[in-house]
Amino acid sequence: MIYIAIDGPAGSGKSSVASGLARKLGFRHLNTGNIYRMVALLWLRSNQPDFSQDFFEMIKAKHFSVVDDAILMDGEIHEDDLRTLEVGKVVSKVAEIPEIREIITDKSREIVKSGNFVVEGRDIGTVVLPDAFLKIFLTASVEERAKRRYRELVSKNLEANFEDIIDEIRQRDSIDSSREVAPLKPAADAVLVLTDGLSLEEVIEKIYVLYTERMKSVKD
Ligand code: CDP
């Protein structure tokens, strides 16, 4: 199997880039962030202040799969519930829990056994798939990332306040980069791609070229 890992901070454009790149290469696409968001949603719905063994067992028993760009939980899509500000506010806290990371890492590795995948997240190149064929670390300035998230929410008719989005992104960047388990950082062998001022197509093309060059160097 061939895996391309795309890691990077909140709103760096990973999802659109990973989705477009997967389509161009005929690969499948796994957005691990959506599994973390799904678990965050389950936790919010559980109305429990802490994470219990029962909660971990409940998550373990769930079946996650991928259809196109969507994550299915026990065969159902919950996409629209995952991108809300409510989930955005707690997801990084949920993602700090080592037991949860272990469960999601195992489930992600299981999903990608079924084909060639573009896998996006925070720790794909460092923890989930350290042997990935190509590792990309996508990044952009906070303002650029907040603008993108704002436009995404507005296009989906969801509530959007620019200042709130900037705050949320700063807060998640800080928690994601400083947590003890699997913090957000580029793998030593990742290629850094700064996306400020680049169109989606330009970013996809850049990574596509990196991929074909690597393919050639492996074959030579
Ligand atoms: O789309 P965006 O970059 O804003 O975030 P996401 O990919 O939906 O991920 C939501 C949150 O899940 C991140 O802020 C991380 O706290 C967590 N996450 C993680 O810890 N590890 C991953 N592999 C993916 C997401």
Side-chain angles (χ1 to χ4, degrees), residues 131-203:
D131 296 327
F133 179 71
L134 176 65
K135 299 179 186 178
I136 303 293
F137 194 85
L138 265 199
T139 187
S141 65
V142 175
E143 289 72 21
E144 176 93 22
R145 293 189 277 133
K147 264 191 240 164
R148 288 178 189 158
R149 177 52 49 90
Y150 180 82
R151 283 196 293 258
E152 182 194 347
L153 290 172
V154 169
S155 75
K156 290 183 176 162
N157 285 324
L158 293 167
E159 198 188 314
N161 173 295
F162 192 70
E163 292 310 314
D164 285 353
I165 294 171
I166 287 235
D167 281 353
E168 188 220 305
I169 286 182
R170 285 217 171 97
Q171 214 168 350
R172 276 205 285 144
D173 278 359
S174 147
I175 302 178
D176 288 348
S177 313
S178 60
R179 71 173 167 237
E180 266 174 44
V181 185
L184 171 70
K185 63 159 198 258
D189 51 351
V191 182
L192 252 73
V193 176
L194 179 69
T195 68
D196 278 30
L198 292 184
S199 70
L200 175 60
E201 288 68 33
E202 286 169 328
V203 179

Side-chain angles (χ1 to χ4, degrees), residues 13-99:
K14 293 185 303 291
S15 299
S16 326
V17 169
S19 161
L21 182 67
R23 215 165 309 130
K24 197 171 166 102
L25 292 170
F27 283 23
R28 299 177 71 204
H29 168 211
L30 171 62
N31 179 348
T32 59
N34 275 350
I35 309 185
Y36 282 92
R37 286 175 181 272
M38 196 69 244
V39 171
L41 186 64
L42 291 172
W43 179 64
L44 283 171
R45 287 184 180 163
S46 75
N47 277 323
Q48 299 294 318
D50 299 312
F51 300 94
S52 62
Q53 196 54 41
D54 280 356
F55 182 75
F56 300 144
E57 294 302 326
M58 193 256 280
I59 305 302
K60 243 189 241 175
K62 298 283 182 199
H63 179 258
F64 293 94
S65 55
V66 172
V67 173
D68 297 327
D69 294 319
I71 294 284
L72 276 67
M73 187 177 69
D74 293 338
E76 278 183 46
I77 297 188
H78 301 260
E79 285 298 283
D80 287 345
D81 298 332
L82 304 184
R83 315 296 307 172
T84 61
L85 208 54
E86 201 192 4
V87 169
K89 275 188 180 144
V90 298
V91 63
S92 291
K93 251 179 26 199
V94 172
E96 274 188 300
I97 311 298
E99 287 89 341

Side-chain angles (χ1 to χ4, degrees), residues 133 209-220:
F133 179 71
V209 168
L210 288 167
Y211 170 80
T212 49
E213 278 170 356
R214 181 139 313 172
M215 252 317 162
K216 244 177 76 195
S217 74
V218 170
K219 282 186 182 147
D220 286 346

